[in-house]
Amino acid sequence: NAGVTQTPKFQVLKTGQSMTLQCAQDMNHNSMYWYRQDPGMGLRLIYYSASEGTTDKGEVPNGYNVSRLNKREFSLRLESAAPSQTSVYFCASTREGTSDTGELFFGEGSRLTVL
Amino acid sequence: GNSVTQMEGPVTLSEEAFLTINCTYTATGYPSLFWYVQYPGEGLQLLLKATKADDKGSNKGFEATYRKETTSFHLEKGSVQVSDSAVYFCALSKTGANNLFFGTGTRLTVIP
């Protein structure tokens, strides 16, 4: 039972390079999320997708783009990476949004370092 | 706005000690409250929740009571184990909002 799968788990980039973080869930969830986790700041929402075909900005969207490719997949793209984007990124999903049960299912995280 | 404040860590306890991790919140209306746990190298997972005032959430020996009068949701466990070593996050969700607001996390280390 895979749950939420993120790739890659680790990545090192140089400033200005681009990359895409991939996320897929096999729980038939409608809502998917991208968070970043930084020391002393907890988790902050970057973007979310309430349902297939929709995306919305979260608390810290600048420098990122997302694509909800289909119901299963939600990717996060850094077009021109900056050192401030060094972080651990988590993808999460839930059946119908957090106001329903509040239970988010998280992937294992992707650790990104931008030099 | 909506926010969650957790006690600063890290917290180090001996096995079988009593644990309290404080959490207070700011929100309009009646949010739902959650505790998530993150074990080393893993993503977060829901530990317990409470959806209305005076509710008590419990799981794996952990408990937290939704106190509206003090806007608090403190996490407690009577006897911690080494396997409880993890980072604990308090969070809230507002009805109609499609997001969880997380606290900064509290790292717990339990030593034998």
Side-chain angles (χ1 to χ4, degrees), chain A residues 33 35 37 97-98 101-102 104 107, chain B residues 36 38 43 49 89 93 97-99:
Chain A
Y33 305 78
Y35 286 89
Q37 183 182 28
T98 56
T101 66
L104 288 175
Chain B
Y36 276 77
Q38 183 181 28
K49 68 178 182 182
F89 291 90
S93 175
N98 201 4
N99 186 22

Side-chain angles (χ1 to χ4, degrees), chain B residues 40-109:
Chain B
E42 298 182 10
L44 282 71
Q45 55 187 276
L46 181 66
L47 179 60
L48 55 84
K49 68 178 182 182
T51 57
K52 61 183 188 295
D54 299 325
D55 268 2
K56 177 184 284 187
S58 61
N59 186 24
K60 299 181 180 180
F62 291 89
E63 294 183 339
T65 301
Y66 188 161
R67 302 283 189 202
K68 185 164 172 56
E69 62 276 14
T70 55
T71 61
S72 65
F73 192 55
H74 304 321
L75 182 68
E76 297 182 336
K77 186 174 186 183
S79 176
V80 294
Q81 305 301 311
V82 172
S83 57
D84 294 326
S85 298
V87 181
Y88 293 82
F89 291 90
C90 187
L92 72 81
S93 175
K94 288 294 301 296
T95 301
N98 201 4
N99 186 22
L100 286 181
F101 297 90
F102 286 90
T104 55
T106 302
R107 181 176 299 277
L108 169 66
T109 301

Side-chain angles (χ1 to χ4, degrees), chain A residues 34-47:
Chain A
W34 277 106
Y35 286 89
R36 59 178 289 174
Q37 183 182 28
D38 301 294
M41 302 191 77
L43 276 76
R44 292 180 293 168
L45 182 66
I46 304 171
Y47 271 93

Side-chain angles (χ1 to χ4, degrees), chain B residues 2-38:
Chain B
N2 302 305
S3 66
V4 173
T5 302
Q6 285 182 241
M7 65 183 287
E8 292 284 334
V11 174
T12 301
L13 294 174
S14 297
E15 206 164 22
E16 300 183 0
F18 184 85
L19 168 72
T20 299
I21 300 178
N22 290 338
C23 171
T24 58
Y25 68 89
T26 301
T28 56
Y30 303 96
S32 295
L33 300 173
F34 310 89
W35 277 101
Y36 276 77
V37 59
Q38 183 181 28

Side-chain angles (χ1 to χ4, degrees), chain A residues 31-85:
Chain A
S31 301
M32 298 185 73
Y33 305 78
W34 277 106
Y35 286 89
R36 59 178 289 174
Q37 183 182 28
D38 301 294
M41 302 191 77
L43 276 76
R44 292 180 293 168
L45 182 66
I46 304 171
Y47 271 93
Y48 67 96
S49 171
S51 60
E52 186 179 354
T54 69
T55 60
D56 286 286
K57 295 178 180 179
E59 184 183 354
V60 288
N62 291 345
Y64 305 95
N65 286 301
V66 290
S67 295
R68 184 72 182 269
L69 305 170
N70 48 55
K71 190 171 185 178
R72 290 187 64 247
E73 298 173 288
F74 187 39
S75 63
L76 178 71
R77 182 161 178 83
L78 287 69
E79 290 290 352
S80 179
S84 61
Q85 294 178 303

